[in-house]
Amino acid sequence: MTNYKTLVLSVDELWLKGKNRKYYFKGFKNHVKAIIKRLHNDSTICRNESQKLVVESPTPFTQELIDALIWLPGLQSLRPSVEVNSDYKVIIDEAMKLVDQVGLEEKTFKVLCKRKDKSFPIKSTEVNQNLGNLIPENFPHLKVDVKNPDLFLEIKIYSHKTFISFETYKGIGGLPSGMTGHLLTLISGGFDSPIASFLMAKRGCSQDYIFFYAYPYVGEEVKDKILLMMEKLKRFHYRSRLYVVPFGDVQNKIAKSCHTEYRTLLFRKYMLECSSLLAKDINAHGLITGDNLGQVSSQTLENITALDQATSMSIFRPLVGLNKKEIIKMSRDIDTHDISTIPHDDACSLFAPDAPILRPDPNYLEQYYKKNDFTQDLKQALAEAEVYTFDCRRNNI
Ligand code: ATP
Ligand code: MG
């Protein structure tokens, strides 16, 4: 990468935010600043330039920093840029210098000039044409293709400053972290819950995580897998915690006291109840699960409804209408796929019946809840939870 000392970040959905724009912009800026504090060793200035966040430093930014910034919720795109005075000759010279430094292989390109300051004396089309001729003359391996170019050379002319850039990093978009509230995600080892978490992070929800750990009935490698997954999920957050809750004893009690076919459903019910207790403690507004309609037997409409009725908290299920292939594709996009495929014991399939209930009997459930109160067990499990904190300002847990 060329030695860029300026980054231009576009924030998604600001145009929808009316009077709250400033608040959203500030939230995004704070997250960016926190990452910079960890990964950039020099002073920086962060400023608003026509609703873009411009970050400047006397020394070049690293690829590592860019790789971290592109996961921040709310980022539409990031362009490492060269910043020059809005003077036509300077702009052309610096654009040529940049093309030279980038040292590209054979590629096609298109010049995209935008005059944000209409008083600038040269029209955008003239800048496009001029550079479109000059570049191939000086760098014959680069050819103009206005229809389907490999690269865009962007020139944004503001009243005093002009930004020149050759590369765009696409962000995940959505809303800045924490803008819409705080949720507790039930994280398990499969494909689904990490994607559910990602989709809600994209919508501006900061999150803590809870994992029900059925040790010693499941191996220790399950916890390692969850910790590995957290390394991916923490990229979306300013700060989040993982609660690893010992759950084997509770599951044992449930398994012994219910009809075999109700085990999976009841494990899930008490996971949700325990999560609700924690959510209240940590001021989370609701729960996130990776439930997906009809994917497994515990996810029939009847079971999902029964679970909703058994918990006081709102449950967000952003995957409910997605197909498995769509979920797996997203897991590749956000790089959680290879962790999800690591084999693991599943706490819900532990003691699981061969034929789990599909249409639970509401009377049976009502009776069961009346006879069995696990509140103390759940509180005890929460008290014994191991807590890991992830903070974007620090390198390690
Ligand atoms: P995933 O791929 O996320 O593991 P799944 O397809 O295996 O999900 P289930 O096992 O039925 O589906 O679980 C549905 C949801 O319940 C999960 O997405 C997760 O949100 C929650 N869940 C299941 N097991 C656990 C657990 N041990 N700890 C925390 N949450 C869990
Ligand atoms: Mg699972």
Side-chain angles (χ1 to χ4, degrees):
M1 194 180 85
T2 317
N3 293 334
Y4 292 106
K5 295 176 193 162
T6 302
L7 303 176
V8 180
L9 291 84
S10 307
V11 193
D12 199 15
E13 297 197 9
L14 271 189
W15 50 281
L16 288 170
K17 292 292 165 257
K19 283 188 191 142
N20 290 326
R21 228 173 253 179
K22 266 193 192 150
Y23 169 68
Y24 281 78
F25 193 86
K26 195 167 168 219
F28 181 72
K29 182 160 122 180
N30 285 343
H31 204 172
V32 169
K33 276 178 147 178
I35 303 279
I36 288 176
K37 197 170 170 202
R38 173 163 61 92
L39 292 174
H40 191 66
N41 288 330
D42 206 344
S43 61
T44 49
I45 295 171
C46 291
R47 60 188 176 83
N48 180 346
E49 178 86 61
S50 302
Q51 308 221 24
K52 306 253 189 256
L53 178 63
V54 176
V55 187
E56 299 158 326
S57 172
T59 47
F61 293 110
T62 59
Q63 189 64 46
E64 189 189 9
L65 175 73
I66 293 175
D67 291 344
L69 292 176
I70 56 171
W71 295 108
L72 300 196
L75 178 76
Q76 184 181 306
S77 65
L78 179 155
R79 291 188 71 92
S81 303
V82 172
E83 191 174 344
V84 297
N85 288 336
S86 292
D87 173 290
Y88 186 53
K89 186 173 175 330
V90 176
I91 293 170
I92 299 291
D93 286 352
E94 290 298 324
M96 294 302 285
K97 250 194 238 164
L98 176 63
V99 175
D100 190 21
Q101 280 170 23
V102 172
L104 297 160
E105 316 270 294
E106 203 140 303
K107 287 262 156 75
T108 58
F109 75 98
K110 175 177 180 173
V111 186
L112 268 185
C113 175
K114 279 202 186 123
R115 238 176 2 145
K116 298 281 181 184
D117 170 19
K118 297 293 178 212
S119 69
F120 187 76
I122 317 289
K123 286 202 167 142
S124 308
T125 43
E126 205 175 321
V127 180
N128 290 344
Q129 277 165 9
N130 193 1
L131 281 167
N133 291 330
L134 273 176
I135 294 171
E137 271 170 30
N138 289 276
F139 307 98
H141 59 289
L142 297 175
K143 295 197 171 49
V144 175
D145 180 347
V146 287
K147 283 206 179 120
N148 193 19
D150 299 324
L151 297 158
F152 289 95
L153 175 61
E154 261 193 34
I155 313 228
K156 293 237 165 87
I157 304 174
Y158 294 89
S159 52
H160 298 295
K161 291 285 177 190
T162 292
F163 298 98
I164 309 171
S165 60
F166 223 154
E167 291 165 88
T168 305
Y169 292 83
K170 206 170 165 295
I172 60 172
L175 298 168
S177 183
M179 289 294 117
T180 50
H182 188 66
L183 297 172
L184 177 64
T185 301
L186 282 80
I187 183 91
S188 51
F191 280 106
D192 304 322
S193 42
I195 301 302
S197 168
F198 161 68
L199 290 175
M200 296 307 283
K202 212 154 62 88
R203 296 314 302 157
C205 297
S206 57
Q207 292 160 47
D208 286 314
Y209 295 81
I210 185 165
F211 169 58
F212 293 98
Y213 186 33
Y215 186 79
Y217 304 103
V218 296
E220 258 177 272
E221 66 281 359
V222 194
K223 190 173 93 179
D224 296 341
K225 180 174 177 176
I226 299 295
L227 286 170
L228 219 51
M229 190 59 90
M230 285 306 302
E231 287 298 311
K232 298 288 176 191
L233 298 176
K234 74 176 189 186
R235 294 171 300 174
F236 309 123
H237 302 297
Y238 195 97
R239 185 173 180 273
S240 52
R241 282 163 298 191
L242 166 70
Y243 294 83
V244 178
V245 178
F247 209 59
D249 290 345
V250 177
Q251 282 190 257
N252 215 345
K253 280 194 185 175
I254 299 167
K256 281 188 182 142
S257 55
C258 71
H259 288 167
T260 319
E261 68 271 27
Y262 277 84
R263 281 178 180 173
T264 313
L265 181 66
L266 287 168
F267 295 158
R268 299 289 317 287
K269 138 82 181 163
Y270 290 101
M271 283 183 186
L272 289 168
E273 195 170 319
C274 189
S275 305
S276 302
L277 290 172
L278 177 61
K280 280 176 197 142
D281 261 7
I282 60 172
N283 289 324
H285 301 114
L287 310 176
I288 302 174
T289 73
D291 285 322
N292 177 244
L293 185 59
Q295 190 189 94
V296 290
S297 55
S298 62
Q299 294 165 354
T300 58
L301 266 187
E302 289 84 347
N303 277 330
I304 290 182
T305 312
L307 291 172
D308 264 347
Q309 284 163 359
T311 7
S312 53
M313 278 265 158
S314 302
I315 303 173
F316 296 92
R317 300 180 171 95
L319 305 190
V320 78
L322 294 182
N323 301 336
K324 193 73 184 184
K325 278 189 184 157
E326 291 167 324
I327 297 167
I328 292 176
K329 173 168 184 316
M330 277 191 230
S331 77
R332 288 213 167 85
D333 294 344
I334 68 159
D335 205 20
T336 52
H337 176 274
D338 291 0
I339 300 174
S340 292
T341 53
I342 300 172
H344 73 281
D345 298 321
D346 184 342
C348 274
S349 56
L350 174 74
F351 317 109
D354 291 339
I357 193 82
L358 301 178
R359 293 185 180 78
D361 174 1
N363 293 327
Y364 174 74
L365 287 177
E366 201 185 323
Q367 291 307 314
Y368 184 86
Y369 300 151
K370 263 192 197 147
K371 264 196 238 148
N372 298 280
D373 181 359
F374 292 113
T375 314
Q376 279 319 314
D377 301 83
L378 300 179
K379 284 187 176 164
Q380 177 70 22
L382 281 178
E384 288 169 14
E386 277 178 77
V387 187
Y388 298 83
T389 302
F390 305 86
D391 189 319
C392 75
R393 291 164 298 180
R394 290 189 223 124
N395 278 321
N396 297 314
I397 295 172

